[in-house]
Amino acid sequence: MNRPWTLASSVAGAVVVALDGTALTVAQPSLQRDLSASFTEVQWTSTAYLVAVASLLVFAGRLGDRYGQWRVFGIGMLGFGAASAGIAVAPGVGWVIVLRAVQGVFGALAQPATLGMLRAAYPPDRLASPLAVRTSAIGLAAAAGPLVGGALVTGLGWRAVFLVNVVPALAFGLPALARRDRRAAPVRTPLDLPGAALLAVTLACLVYAVTARPVSGAYLGAAALTAVVLVRHERRAANPLLPPELIGARTAGAALGVLVAVSASLFGTLFVATYVLQHRLGLDAFHSALRSLPLAVLMVLSAALCPVSLRRWGARRVTAAAAAALPLGILLLSRTTSPTGLGLAFALLGAGFGTVMVAATQVIVRGAKVRTAGVAGGVQQTALNVGPAVGVAAATALLDAGPRAALPALAAVAALAVPVARLLPGPAGAASRTPAPHTPVPAGRPERR
């Protein structure tokens, strides 16, 4: 597989998942009416997916490192498509919930592989450009999701939203499985199954705790307890699930912290903004989407420009400046209701988040060896699943005090990313770590020490 096809597959895997999530939000009211479901059951169509995908991302990344990124990506895409087709013909909401969890399992297989494939196909100093393309595509999918979902639900019903996933799943999943594996005498590190189980329980409890209404203290306590046991296990394991050279690296930890902070603040802000636009200003869903359109536009543009900025100023300055744009946008959003003010606020959010996504992800994936690129992708994807869940939970709790109280608190969360970004590498540090000669490593083939 050549680099263009690798990039196309990576983008397709990311876009299918992004479109599915945003389109489902639009389809849920119609699904509720058609299946006579309760509000709690409809909420579980989202929660079941989130719990499944968040708990398995890192282990799925390890499977990609062990058995080949393309193979795991192909299985993930085909399984995601099959589960989507099953949801489209589901006779009741119980089936939808179960199949959404199945979707989460296969989504967890596909997502880390989309980053692992890029790490194997591109030299470290050229990773920013494909990551920018991937991020821009996710931004377009996020913007198009509500529009596509609304058109499908209006014209064909909510089931059509899930049928859309089937064709791209087949188009990219089958070639990925048909790809010949060029690995020679692979060195397969034993799987850390106890570590995988502990991490899955920790993340599942955490995600469920923050998505429950009200937030579940018991599940938060369970997540904290299993996290302590996980840390002790990983320190003693001969072949830990979380490689010390990745998790213990200062730059990777800082990049993950930045991603959690900015994604929590952004998605919490969007939750509050929806309330402001539709309840306080009386806008319908379509006109609310139009007011927030600058976010998607600037996210795409900033992601496209980020590789040039990274080469000139380095991840430290670029990420810190971009992270500073988010609290400014959130604070402006809390102070204005004019179309111009709202447009500027959403533009700041999009520009900041799009840049941070590319810059922080590049630090994480670039710093990983090819043989652990799947785990690196899984950790990055976990941060981008946990962050929004925590942000929306915080926004829900703060909204009782009103948007003017909730938005400044979310701005403070976004501002935490600025000092953390100072731990990322600058342009000189990035250049010094770039190996001079690069020999492309086929996907799934471990690097030799």
Side-chain angles (χ1 to χ4, degrees), residues 18-380:
L19 270 176
D20 180 82
T22 54
L24 174 65
T25 303
V26 179
Q28 281 178 328
S30 177
L31 181 154
Q32 182 177 13
R33 291 191 300 269
D34 187 36
L35 299 181
S36 300
S38 66
F39 179 77
T40 300
E41 288 172 327
V42 171
Q43 184 183 17
W44 266 101
T45 63
S46 296
T47 302
Y49 177 89
L50 286 173
V51 170
V53 73
S55 61
L56 295 174
L57 280 165
V58 176
F59 183 61
R62 172 62 77 191
L63 292 178
D65 293 332
R66 179 179 170 90
Y67 298 107
Q69 306 294 352
W70 283 98
R71 181 181 300 171
V72 173
F73 171 76
I75 294 172
M77 288 293 283
L78 293 176
F80 194 90
S84 299
I87 295 172
V89 297
V93 70
W95 280 100
V96 174
I97 293 171
V98 171
L99 288 170
R100 281 286 289 167
V102 174
Q103 255 192 335
V105 172
F106 286 105
L109 289 174
Q111 289 301 290
T114 63
L115 291 172
M117 293 187 301
L118 292 180
R119 175 63 182 88
Y122 289 85
D125 58 340
R126 294 180 59 186
L127 263 177
S129 293
L131 288 174
V133 172
R134 185 178 181 274
T135 302
S136 297
I138 293 173
L140 287 173
L147 301 177
V148 172
L152 289 172
V153 171
T154 301
L156 301 172
W158 66 268
R159 297 177 188 273
V161 169
F162 294 97
L163 285 175
V164 170
N165 299 330
V166 176
V167 173
L170 291 173
F172 289 92
L174 290 175
L177 283 184
R179 182 179 184 272
R180 294 185 63 183
D181 195 342
R182 296 193 295 271
R183 289 178 300 173
V187 178
R188 292 184 173 177
T189 303
L191 294 174
D192 179 17
L193 295 180
L198 287 168
L199 181 61
V201 172
T202 299
L203 293 172
C205 289
L206 175 61
V207 172
Y208 175 75
V210 299
T211 55
R213 297 293 178 267
V215 172
S216 173
Y219 277 89
L220 280 177
L225 177 62
T226 53
V228 171
V229 178
L230 172 65
V231 170
R232 293 189 62 186
H233 168 80
E234 290 294 286
R235 286 176 175 175
R236 299 176 179 179
N239 298 288
L241 174 67
L242 302 169
E245 65 270 18
L246 173 64
I247 301 301
R250 186 187 70 169
T251 54
L256 288 170
V258 168
L259 285 177
V260 171
V262 299
S263 61
S265 61
L266 176 68
F267 282 85
T269 298
L270 293 179
F271 180 84
V272 177
T274 301
Y275 171 85
V276 172
L277 293 173
Q278 296 189 20
H279 292 269
R280 289 188 59 187
L281 301 184
L283 300 177
D284 58 24
F286 179 75
H287 287 91
S288 296
L290 287 180
R291 293 287 175 90
S292 63
L293 193 59
L295 186 151
V297 173
L298 266 295
M299 181 176 170
V300 172
L301 291 176
S302 63
L305 295 173
C306 189
V308 177
S309 302
L310 287 172
R311 285 194 294 270
R312 179 170 297 182
W313 294 297
R316 182 188 307 148
R317 292 181 182 177
V318 170
T319 306
L326 273 92
L328 292 177
I330 298 171
L331 290 174
L332 179 58
L333 198 61
S334 69
R335 298 293 179 180
T336 184
T337 56
S338 69
T340 302
L342 290 173
L344 179 58
F346 282 118
L348 286 169
L349 293 176
F353 189 69
T355 303
V356 169
M357 272 278 288
V358 176
T361 300
Q362 187 226 27
V363 170
I364 297 168
V365 179
R366 174 178 177 156
K369 296 181 173 67
V370 172
R371 59 184 175 85
T372 59
V375 172
V379 170
Q380 186 263 5

